[in-house]
Amino acid sequence: MNNFPNGFMWGAATAAYQIEGGWDADDKGLSNWDVFTEQPGTIFQGHTGKSGPDHYTHWASDVDIMRDLNLMAYRLSMSWARFMPQGVGEVSERGARLYDKLFGKLQDSGIAPLVTLFHWDYPQALQELGGWLHPDSPKWFADYAYQAAKRYGDRVEHWITLNEPGIFIILGYLDGHHAPGWKLGKSDFFQVLKNVCLGHGLAVDAIRSAAPRPVKVSFAPHCVISIPKSEDSEADVAAAHEATFGSWCNMRGPWQQRFFCDPVLLGQWPEDGEKAYSGRVISVTQDELKTMSPKVDFLGLNFYSAEVVTADEDGKPVIVSDAVGMPRTLFDWAIRPEGLYWTVRLHAERYNLPIIITENGLSNMDWISVDGKCHDPQRIDFLTRYLQQLNRAIGDGYRVDGYMHWSLMDNFEWTQGYKHRFGLIHIDYETHKRTVKDSGYWYREVIRSNGGSLFA
């Protein structure tokens, strides 16, 4: 049975550093990723995002492709350093013009923009002052949010403050694998988390005060979840909840879902998990928690994979090993479609918010075939299975307002460079030629039928 409601928002997603190129065009300032990718050994085969798909040049034809694919929504991020080259102070009129043109054409094409303000590319001028570790970083971010909403709030209804704070904090500031490449101590990790959460809260208020019309605001955490081995076992279901939202730091370490969701969605600092992980608790006042947690309008969820748990004799979660030969993506992530059902269910039950799937997709090996087309049957099969599970969640009464496929086009996949292809559109990185993949045409029919073709 097709449970997708009328008005369900079908779309696709990208991020500025991964697709824009134009890294020094129109007065754009350096970002931390511009600098990080120049360090030897950080990125696969020395790739950078300096050109990539060159959306900076091809934005208009890219919107034409979106329209041809029936997209109802396009989730994108703004480059903070393009909009405000120094991160604070004056807005660059030349840099802002890209988004003026892009949002205007999206509006004319009937495609709703969902704008993410921070998708990991941080102004280098502010990074050199301490980045998210600096005590003024929440205010810097709020000022940027205010200026963006003031300028574009008439054309942008949906705003997302932060993309996957857990990823950029852990990989960027704790492990050093992503920009800025820092390896801070555990207490500093929580100080960065505190500043990021404060920045989110201040940005939510700034967006609402600056936008000239009512807007919807949220953030998009990564989903590190567990699913029950047996859905018929109450103990296994409880174990999945505990493994996802408990303070089991021996299992998850810093990758605790609560660390990144509870402060901004519940106004609760996860002191038990922090103490278990770092051995101490930093100071977070009730006023600060209130600042972190203004009510949001929906919850964006980025979901790719999940682990399976079962309850031991004491009811505690135990990870179940993957079956031998289990299908996996090119990123070596287990393919578990039911995880999309459970990520909706677990977050809806805990946070009681409407949900938009802001990222979900398949890293695959795609190339142009001898017939000049790009055939990607694995992605079609992957999406069929995952979207059927999303349909199941809606059928069970959980409110899901939209689905943004990751990604609209092949792009720069951070430290993996251009090794992975997630897109509905194939990109030739030498010529910048766009070729819609079979999955793109398949997705067009899914949208046209509002999900009905998934059950044909």
Side-chain angles (χ1 to χ4, degrees):
M1 177 184 294
N2 183 9
N3 298 314
F4 290 103
N6 292 333
F8 187 82
M9 189 163 47
W10 297 96
T14 65
Y17 187 78
Q18 294 179 271
I19 69 162
E20 280 188 1
W23 69 281
D24 61 349
D26 290 337
D27 305 320
K28 178 185 170 293
L30 287 175
S31 77
N32 58 353
W33 274 94
D34 290 321
V35 174
F36 184 72
T37 54
E38 293 297 322
Q39 299 176 20
T42 57
I43 311 297
F44 174 73
Q45 294 187 348
H47 296 167
T48 76
K50 285 187 174 181
S51 178
D54 193 21
H55 180 67
Y56 175 81
T57 301
H58 298 274
W59 62 270
S61 58
D62 287 341
V63 175
D64 288 339
I65 296 174
M66 295 181 218
R67 184 189 61 227
D68 291 344
L69 294 181
N70 292 334
L71 292 194
M72 302 166 62
Y74 173 43
R75 182 192 170 208
L76 68 147
S77 74
M78 290 174 55
S79 167
W80 186 347
R82 188 183 302 284
F83 186 67
M84 302 173 75
Q86 298 304 309
V88 294
E90 294 296 320
V91 171
S92 167
E93 286 299 318
R94 295 179 67 195
R97 196 178 305 137
L98 170 66
Y99 304 113
D100 282 320
K101 295 183 295 186
L102 178 59
F103 296 150
K105 187 170 177 64
L106 288 169
Q107 187 176 46
D108 292 343
S109 302
I111 301 170
L114 280 69
V115 174
T116 303
L117 288 170
F118 183 67
H119 199 132
W120 305 359
D121 50 333
Y122 198 83
Q124 180 64 17
L126 298 183
Q127 192 69 65
E128 293 173 0
L129 297 177
W132 284 110
L133 188 59
H134 194 286
D136 289 340
S137 58
K139 182 179 182 299
W140 296 338
F141 184 57
D143 289 346
Y144 159 50
Y146 182 89
Q147 293 298 332
K150 179 181 178 181
R151 184 171 188 122
Y152 304 121
D154 60 333
R155 285 156 286 177
V156 177
E157 180 181 7
H158 288 80
W159 294 86
I160 295 168
T161 57
L162 306 161
N163 183 75
E164 296 181 338
I167 304 291
F168 75 76
I169 296 174
I170 294 172
L171 296 187
Y173 286 84
L174 186 63
D175 293 344
H177 298 319
H178 278 192
W182 293 359
K183 297 182 179 181
L184 302 177
K186 293 179 179 178
S187 292
D188 281 340
F189 161 77
F190 284 99
Q191 185 62 54
V192 171
L193 173 60
K194 174 181 174 179
N195 290 343
V196 167
C197 291
L198 287 169
H200 159 81
L202 291 175
V204 170
D205 290 339
I207 291 166
R208 287 180 174 147
S209 65
R213 64 169 182 172
V215 293
K216 297 179 180 179
V217 191
S218 188
F219 83 126
H222 67 294
C223 295
V224 179
I225 71 157
S226 296
I227 63 177
K229 178 181 179 181
S230 171
E231 295 186 3
D232 296 326
S233 166
E234 292 184 5
D236 282 2
V237 171
H241 277 271
E242 173 63 20
T244 301
F245 295 116
S247 58
W248 246 43
C249 283
N250 289 336
M251 174 186 281
R252 288 272 163 77
W255 297 99
Q256 292 292 317
Q257 199 72 355
R258 285 178 58 214
F259 286 174
F260 312 102
C261 291
D262 280 12
V264 301
L265 298 178
L266 300 179
Q268 298 174 5
W269 190 255
E271 291 186 6
D272 55 347
E274 180 187 2
K275 188 173 183 180
Y277 178 63
S278 72
R280 54 170 293 185
V281 177
I282 66 171
S283 173
V284 180
T285 68
Q286 287 302 310
D287 284 345
E288 289 171 329
L289 286 170
K290 185 177 180 180
T291 298
M292 293 175 187
S293 57
K295 183 172 177 55
V296 294
D297 301 287
F298 63 97
L299 175 58
L301 294 177
N302 294 357
F303 175 77
Y304 290 95
S305 189
E307 65 191 8
V308 177
V309 297
T310 189
D312 67 11
E313 59 184 13
D314 296 321
K316 292 184 178 180
V318 176
I319 297 174
V320 177
S321 298
D322 293 339
V324 176
M326 181 173 187
R328 310 186 77 83
T329 73
L330 184 60
F331 245 121
D332 199 28
W333 297 336
I335 295 177
R336 275 201 182 88
E338 65 274 22
L340 188 52
Y341 167 84
W342 280 98
T343 203
V344 169
R345 175 171 167 175
L346 290 168
H347 288 85
E349 290 176 351
R350 184 172 183 84
Y351 300 114
N352 191 31
L353 286 166
I355 287 169
I356 295 175
I357 301 301
T358 38
E359 288 185 27
N360 172 245
L362 171 70
S363 165
N364 199 27
M365 293 184 288
D366 306 322
W367 58 84
I368 302 299
S369 298
V370 292
D371 62 2
K373 299 178 181 179
C374 188
H375 305 295
D376 56 342
Q378 293 92 343
R379 182 170 289 104
I380 293 173
D381 183 80
F382 176 99
L383 291 175
T384 298
R385 297 171 187 267
Y386 278 70
L387 289 173
Q388 286 177 348
Q389 289 291 323
L390 187 61
N391 179 76
R392 175 190 168 202
I394 296 170
D396 279 1
Y398 301 106
R399 179 178 166 184
V400 183
D401 290 345
Y403 173 88
M404 304 295 119
H405 175 266
W406 185 271
S407 174
L408 173 67
M409 65 184 75
D410 296 336
N411 54 51
F412 178 83
E413 189 51 47
W414 308 111
T415 57
Q416 298 297 303
Y418 298 102
K419 181 194 301 185
H420 298 267
R421 291 184 179 270
F422 276 93
L424 300 170
I425 304 168
H426 179 277
I427 301 294
D428 183 320
Y429 295 114
E430 297 294 325
T431 66
H432 299 135
K433 180 180 178 181
R434 275 81 165 131
T435 302
V436 177
K437 302 177 187 179
D438 288 353
S439 60
Y441 294 118
W442 171 89
Y443 191 50
R444 178 171 66 182
E445 179 59 21
V446 172
I447 298 171
R448 187 203 63 77
S449 65
N450 194 34
S453 63
L454 296 166
F455 309 96

